[in-house]
Amino acid sequence: MVFSWRGGPGSQRLLLWLLLLAAWEAGSGQVHYSVPEEAKHGTFVGRIAQDLGLELAELVPRLFRVASKGRGDLLEVNLQNGILFVNSRIDREELCGRSAVCSVHLEVIVDRPLQVFHVEVEVKDINDNAPVFPVREQKLFVSESRMPDSRFPLEGASDADIGTNSVLTYRLSSSDYFSLDVNSKNEENKQIELVLRKSLDREEASEHKLFLTATDGGKPELTGTVQLLVTVLDVNDNAPSFQQSEYEVRIFENAENGTVVIRLNASDRDDGINKEISYSFNSLASPMVFAHFSIDPNTGEIIIQKTLDFEKVNSYKIRIDATDKGQPPMVGHCTILLKVLDINDNAPQITLTSLSLPVREDAPLGAVIALISVSDQDAGANGQVTCSLTPHTPFKLVSTFKNYYSLVLDGTLDRESVSAYELVVTARDGGSPSLSATASVSVEVADVNDNAPAFAQPEYTVFVKENNPPGCHIFTVSAQDADAQENARVSYSLVERRVGERALSSYVSVHAESGKVYALQPLDHEELELLQFQVSARDAGFPPLGSNVTLQVFVLDENDNAPALLPAGAGVAGGALSELVPRSVGAGHVVAKVRAVDADSGYNAWLSFELQPAAGGAAGPFRVGLYTGEVSTTRALDEADAPRQRLLVLVRDHGEPALTATATVLVSLVESGQALKTSSRVSSGVPGPEAALVDVNVYLIIAICAVSSLLVLTLLLYTALRCSAPPAEGACVPGKPTLVCSSAVGSWSYSQQRRQRVCSGEGPPKTDLMAFSPSLPPCPGSEDPRQPNPDWRYSASLRAGMHSSVHLEEAGILRAGPGGPDQQWPTVSSATPEPEAGEVSPPVGAGVNSNSWTFKYGPGNPKQSGPGELPDKFIIPGSPAIISIRQEPTNSQIDKSDFITFGKKEETKKKKKKKKGNKMQEKKEKGNSATDNSDQ
């Protein structure tokens, strides 16, 4: 913007006003842009998305939009790059008229969350309007008696532009009699006068034609020209004059019609008729002046004849002519500046520019519900509006900008207690008396999707007969959702998976709305007995919630498969079974066996055999087993029987209806010698399936015997090596160890040993549990340690019977004395309820039959066994046993053999209650049993 510093007081005031306006806008927090008027379509204005701190990717999802009062199509935003550009022609003069500052106020609104930004786009003026005179020709009448330096006011030009572009300079065409004088009191009332330089002589020139040119201060300069026609009059050489050339009047807009605005008084120094004055509006006055005012030609009173309205026109510039009645008449001029004063005659207006309804019941505090703007056409205090909200609700009004408010959430919402709120927004101005306006806002609370669809039960069992027609309805699933509207609308779908090599969707489908499950193809019991799948129910909320239900579809068998005959070992053409039967066989001799299978199941696959009667109905010497299919003789054969007999065996299942198959058995009756020869020939020929099967069985028997022999040999060799191994550091001590074996009652025993340890060789972990006395053999020069007497037994809280093997970890050692191997306890958590109890457990990931087991004390491993000690108790995971160790005190006089027992705690208590003789007898029997097992 270019400012003119021509030294008038009006220019300085304009500059000061613009500086104050710029400072006010800088503090208002708005985004300001500027664009010249008449800019072409697409002209860049600013990167509005970047300046507002918005990401380009969220413009469309957040419904970025721009709104403005008045013409909303002047500016647009490209949602792809966030650039504000000119959309249509902007004419500053049409938009703002003669206002010093012209701007377009934009409201930028985005949702999720709802935000509003205010953007001011200043429309800068360009020099697109040339100065324009009211008329093409101005006529002046000048008496020849006028003295030099007489002045004749001229109507200046007007320029629709502002600023420098509207600063006009005038020049007059060359003349010997006239010059131009411009008196710039202010920009609103610039006096242009034609000055008489020397006296006129009508006889020499009765009129003068001049050209007045007005030039504005824009770049490039634009000009306007009017022709001045000066007519020289004779005689009446004094024009009427006013006391002052300009009057300023103020009047309220509610002044009634007929009210006198001002009374003018002009004087004329002439006498007689040349002194009489008539008042009138200047012919170039605005049409609004003629419409709202009238003037008395004799008294000079200006009277209101139409109601004034401050909101439409707040000032009038009235030019008055005072004309005398001389010949020619003389005219005096003055200007009246009429200021219309505002009164509080307009109530505020409330506008709801954006509503985010309904409001979710889980909306956060501070969520914007609506944007409210208020306006008042009055000025000053009459146009200052304040807003309030009633009644007391969990909402409040927050002022975001002058006359702009946001209705925000101030408390939590509960749709179940209050589903809607009726709010009243009241706007009241600051006039006296004040005026107000109200607007009602209905806020509905929306349900949130916080309930997933629920089925009546987690699993359904469906029975479907096989060979069903494609597309038949087999079941209907139904889920209920406690939410409302869309959140309660449930849709169903299959949880896709593979069934064998085919997709689940090739077998069944589910209707998305009704939940009806359809079989897409005939099901075959022989191919698929059980089809298990899941149906998902999902509501239409956001985010959607869902749940699954399991359907187990059992395919019921139908009798759709007839019995199938198995191929005979040695057949003839046509698949018939051919047998040679000696005539010497007696009754009950099995001649042949008919084999058949049925692909169905249950009664549908239960086969029965029936011998079809021969032609003629005569009973033959053969019968067939009802369920075995064995063809046998019913009596001894004789010479009367035909040498070749053809038997038809009917194979029937028990389905409804029953299906059958027919087998043909060709029986040839031969003499005994002939039968043997035929059998020999058959044996020497190509071996049949029975011979091949015999060969396979022989090979299997040989392989089993070989493996068993190798296993026995390995066990014997291993036992010999263990017993003959020399003692070494960390090795087993020589002695007579007793293997711990389980008896039929589940009790194990072992013999006393001076040094105890559990060990294994370099091979894989062993599958037996060997336990020895925890004491050490006497070292040279040392005392004998005490002999502990452990008592290991089952816990009574566990079930009886242990079917799993207990294996100690390979190279796991229970060390008993200084210098010996360390104790290795497990690191898996304890399985016993006692806090100090020990445990035995497999390594992580091992199963019940794992070959690796370790020991551990209770939580935190607080107890550490000293040299020569064993843990008090440990369990065997995967078995019902808890093994406990009981040691007799050092000074105990009881001399017992070390023993280990496995069994129920209740059984152990019962044994303790028995007599001492019975106990010793049982221990003796256990020792004998252990000795026998170790010998084995």
Side-chain angles (χ1 to χ4, degrees):
M1 181 180 291
V2 180
F3 292 95
S4 175
W5 290 94
R6 300 186 181 181
S11 299
Q12 296 178 359
R13 285 196 298 270
L14 177 62
L15 177 62
L16 178 61
W17 187 80
L18 291 175
L19 291 176
L20 290 175
L21 177 62
W24 176 81
E25 289 181 346
S28 64
Q30 299 182 81
V31 176
H32 291 267
Y33 298 108
S34 63
V35 61
E37 64 171 332
E38 304 295 338
K40 295 182 179 180
H41 172 75
T43 300
F44 173 87
V45 178
R47 300 184 181 275
I48 188 170
Q50 178 179 349
D51 296 338
L52 293 178
L54 299 176
E55 297 292 336
L56 295 180
E58 64 181 3
L59 296 184
V60 174
R62 295 187 63 184
L63 302 180
F64 183 97
R65 55 194 182 275
V66 177
S68 65
K69 293 184 177 179
R71 295 186 58 186
D73 59 342
L74 298 178
L75 300 171
E76 284 292 337
V77 176
N78 188 335
L79 298 182
Q80 302 298 324
N81 52 24
I83 292 178
L84 182 66
F85 64 93
V86 176
N87 186 48
S88 62
R89 174 179 174 270
I90 302 177
D91 189 350
R92 185 189 183 283
E93 290 71 27
E94 179 183 351
L95 188 64
C96 301
R98 296 284 300 171
S99 297
V101 177
C102 182
S103 61
V104 178
H105 179 75
L106 302 178
E107 292 178 2
V108 178
I109 302 171
V110 291
D111 294 337
R112 303 173 187 168
L114 181 63
Q115 290 180 292
V116 61
F117 304 92
H118 298 277
V119 178
E120 290 287 338
V121 180
E122 180 183 358
V123 181
K124 292 187 176 181
D125 182 53
I126 64 173
N127 192 26
D128 59 340
N129 291 280
V132 177
F133 288 91
V135 294
R136 295 184 179 180
E137 183 181 79
Q138 291 190 25
K139 295 181 179 181
L140 299 177
F141 300 91
V142 180
S143 176
E144 62 178 337
S145 61
R146 296 296 294 266
M147 299 299 294
D149 294 330
S150 296
R151 296 176 178 270
F152 307 96
L154 300 177
E155 189 67 22
S158 62
D159 195 324
D161 297 322
I162 63 169
T164 306
N165 296 330
S166 66
V167 177
L168 304 179
T169 58
Y170 298 88
R171 68 176 183 273
L172 190 64
S173 60
S174 177
S175 174
D176 295 333
Y177 293 92
F178 297 94
S179 63
L180 190 65
D181 183 24
V182 179
N183 185 10
S184 300
K185 292 183 179 180
N186 54 59
E187 291 297 329
E188 294 181 358
N189 188 21
K190 181 179 291 187
Q191 299 291 338
I192 306 171
E193 295 177 327
L194 188 64
V195 181
L196 183 62
R197 298 175 60 185
K198 63 180 181 178
S199 299
L200 297 174
D201 188 357
R202 181 182 177 278
E203 287 70 25
E204 187 173 325
S206 61
E207 63 180 21
H208 299 269
K209 291 184 178 180
L210 306 175
F211 291 93
L212 177 62
T213 302
T215 305
D216 61 21
K219 296 295 183 179
E221 297 178 347
L222 299 178
T223 61
T225 304
V226 65
Q227 183 180 13
L228 302 179
L229 182 58
V230 181
T231 302
V232 180
L233 301 179
D234 195 20
V235 210
N236 189 19
D237 55 357
N238 288 290
S241 62
F242 294 92
Q243 293 179 353
Q244 57 190 62
S245 61
E246 182 176 316
Y247 298 88
E248 184 174 339
V249 180
R250 298 175 181 271
I251 190 169
F252 286 101
E253 61 175 328
N254 62 344
E256 297 180 355
N257 293 340
T259 302
V260 177
V261 176
I262 190 175
R263 182 189 294 269
L264 298 175
N265 187 15
S267 61
D268 195 319
R269 290 182 297 174
D270 294 329
D271 293 330
I273 194 174
N274 292 331
K275 191 176 182 179
E276 295 179 3
I277 300 175
S278 175
Y279 301 93
S280 63
F281 293 127
N282 190 278
S283 59
L284 301 179
S286 170
M288 291 186 297
V289 173
F290 290 97
H292 289 82
F293 304 96
S294 63
I295 187 171
D296 191 321
N298 298 319
T299 62
E301 291 181 347
I302 299 178
I303 303 171
I304 299 176
Q305 66 178 3
K306 187 177 180 181
T307 304
L308 302 179
D309 191 352
F310 171 84
E311 287 72 33
K312 294 182 178 179
V313 180
N314 56 13
S315 65
Y316 296 89
K317 184 177 181 181
I318 306 174
R319 293 185 179 274
I320 304 299
D321 291 342
T323 306
D324 60 23
K325 297 182 180 180
Q327 290 299 327
M330 302 292 293
V331 181
H333 306 277
C334 76
T335 301
I336 299 175
L337 294 179
L338 178 61
K339 301 289 185 180
V340 180
L341 301 181
D342 180 49
I343 63 171
N344 191 24
D345 58 344
N346 291 280
Q349 296 179 352
I350 302 176
T351 304
L352 299 177
T353 58
S354 180
L355 293 175
S356 294
L357 298 176
V359 182
R360 292 167 56 93
E361 60 178 326
D362 61 346
L365 296 181
V368 178
I369 309 303
L371 297 179
I372 301 173
S373 62
V374 295
S375 60
D376 195 315
Q377 296 181 1
D378 296 325
N382 298 329
Q384 295 178 357
V385 182
T386 57
C387 282
S388 61
L389 184 66
T390 55
H392 180 71
T393 56
F395 301 94
K396 67 177 180 179
L397 288 176
V398 177
S399 177
T400 58
F401 191 65
K402 59 178 182 178
N403 293 338
Y404 287 88
Y405 296 86
S406 293
L407 178 63
V408 299
L409 183 61
D410 193 35
T412 57
L413 299 177
D414 187 1
R415 189 186 71 87
E416 288 68 28
S417 59
V418 180
S419 60
Y421 294 88
E422 293 295 333
L423 308 179
V424 177
V425 179
T426 302
R428 188 175 300 276
D429 60 25
S432 180
S434 62
L435 301 177
S436 63
T438 59
S440 297
V441 181
S442 179
V443 179
E444 181 180 352
V445 182
D447 183 42
V448 297
N449 190 25
D450 53 356
N451 292 281
F455 291 93
Q457 58 190 69
E459 183 176 294
Y460 293 94
T461 301
V462 184
F463 297 94
V464 180
K465 291 184 178 180
E466 66 173 334
N467 301 322
N468 57 283
C472 73
H473 171 232
I474 62 175
F475 194 70
T476 300
V477 294
S478 178
Q480 302 297 326
D481 196 310
D483 293 322
Q485 297 178 354
E486 290 298 317
N487 296 333
R489 185 162 59 86
V490 180
S491 60
Y492 304 91
S493 62
L494 285 178
V495 179
E496 187 62 68
R497 69 179 185 89
R498 304 292 296 180
V499 179
E501 296 182 355
R502 300 173 59 181
L504 174 65
S505 57
S506 65
Y507 287 96
V508 292
S509 68
V510 61
H511 193 274
E513 296 180 358
S514 64
K516 291 184 177 181
V517 181
Y518 298 93
L520 299 181
Q521 62 182 9
L523 300 178
D524 190 355
H525 173 80
E526 290 72 33
E527 176 186 350
L528 184 67
E529 295 184 5
L530 172 62
L531 178 61
Q532 181 172 329
F533 58 94
Q534 287 187 330
V535 176
S536 174
R538 189 169 297 271
D539 57 29
F542 182 81
L545 301 178
S547 61
N548 294 344
V549 66
T550 300
L551 265 68
Q552 290 187 344
V553 179
F554 288 90
V555 182
L556 303 180
D557 182 49
E558 287 190 342
N559 192 25
D560 57 346
N561 290 282
L565 298 175
L566 297 178
V572 296
L577 181 63
S578 179
E579 296 291 345
L580 298 178
V581 179
R583 289 182 178 272
S584 61
V585 298
H589 176 74
V590 176
V591 175
K593 184 178 179 68
V594 177
R595 295 179 175 87
V597 295
D598 195 314
D600 295 322
S601 60
Y603 278 93
N604 296 330
W606 186 21
L607 303 180
S608 62
F609 301 85
E610 179 183 348
L611 187 63
Q612 294 287 71
F622 299 99
R623 66 179 180 86
V624 65
L626 180 61
Y627 300 114
T628 61
E630 293 180 347
V631 179
S632 59
T633 58
T634 58
R635 58 179 173 80
L637 301 177
D638 52 27
E639 295 298 333
D641 294 324
R644 294 181 61 85
Q645 298 196 23
R646 186 171 183 268
L647 306 180
L648 296 179
V649 178
L650 182 67
V651 184
R652 185 192 309 271
D653 59 25
H654 287 73
E656 288 293 339
L659 301 178
T660 61
T662 303
T664 302
V665 179
L666 300 179
V667 177
S668 299
L669 302 182
V670 297
E671 300 299 331
S672 298
Q674 186 179 357
L676 291 176
K677 293 179 181 180
T678 305
S679 176
S680 300
R681 287 196 300 268
V682 173
S683 300
S684 63
V686 179
E690 290 82 356
L693 182 61
V694 171
D695 294 340
V696 172
N697 292 337
V698 171
Y699 294 150
L700 288 176
I701 293 173
I702 294 174
I704 292 174
C705 292
V707 172
S708 301
S709 301
L710 182 61
L711 177 61
V712 172
L713 181 62
T714 303
L715 292 176
L716 293 176
L717 180 62
Y718 171 74
T719 304
L721 291 176
R722 287 289 300 269
C723 294
S724 62
E729 181 68 23
C732 295
V733 179
K736 187 180 181 182
T738 301
L739 291 175
V740 182
C741 304
S742 63
S743 65
V745 297
S747 61
W748 293 25
S749 65
Y750 71 103
S751 63
Q752 181 176 354
Q753 194 69 12
R754 298 301 298 171
R755 184 174 182 180
Q756 169 264 320
R757 118 166 235 225
V758 178
C759 64
S760 66
E762 296 300 323
K766 302 305 177 291
T767 60
D768 57 347
L769 173 65
M770 298 182 66
F772 303 92
S773 171
S775 60
L776 292 173
C779 299
S782 63
E783 297 180 359
D784 293 340
R786 66 184 180 90
Q787 300 290 332
N789 187 18
D791 182 11
W792 299 13
R793 57 188 178 273
Y794 282 110
S795 171
S797 61
L798 302 175
R799 67 184 185 274
M802 177 176 67
H803 303 289
S804 60
S805 300
V806 181
H807 313 288
L808 296 180
E809 185 177 2
E810 180 181 356
I813 299 173
L814 304 178
R815 211 176 254 188
D822 296 332
Q823 293 176 341
Q824 296 186 358
W825 307 113
T827 58
V828 184
S829 61
S830 175
T832 60
E834 292 81 8
E836 294 184 356
E839 73 174 74
V840 59
S841 59
V844 177
V848 174
N849 295 324
S850 172
N851 291 334
S852 180
W853 293 78
T854 53
F855 298 85
K856 181 179 179 181
Y857 277 108
N861 303 332
K863 183 175 179 180
Q864 299 294 335
S865 299
E869 296 182 1
L870 284 176
D872 294 337
K873 183 185 297 183
F874 61 88
I875 70 169
I876 301 177
S879 76
I882 294 181
I883 303 176
S884 62
I885 301 175
R886 185 178 65 210
Q887 298 183 4
E888 298 294 338
T890 306
N891 56 359
S892 175
Q893 300 300 323
I894 301 174
D895 186 9
K896 297 182 179 180
S897 297
D898 299 337
F899 63 92
I900 303 176
T901 61
F902 286 76
K904 295 184 179 179
K905 189 174 182 181
E906 290 81 356
E907 294 175 358
T908 305
K909 290 182 179 180
K910 292 179 181 179
K911 291 178 182 179
K912 288 183 179 180
K913 294 180 181 180
K914 293 180 180 180
K915 295 180 180 181
K916 183 176 181 180
N918 293 335
K919 292 183 179 180
M920 297 300 294
Q921 183 65 26
E922 291 173 359
K923 291 182 180 180
K924 183 177 180 180
E925 292 175 358
K926 293 177 183 179
N928 294 335
S929 176
T931 304
D932 295 338
N933 293 333
S934 63
D935 292 339
Q936 293 175 4

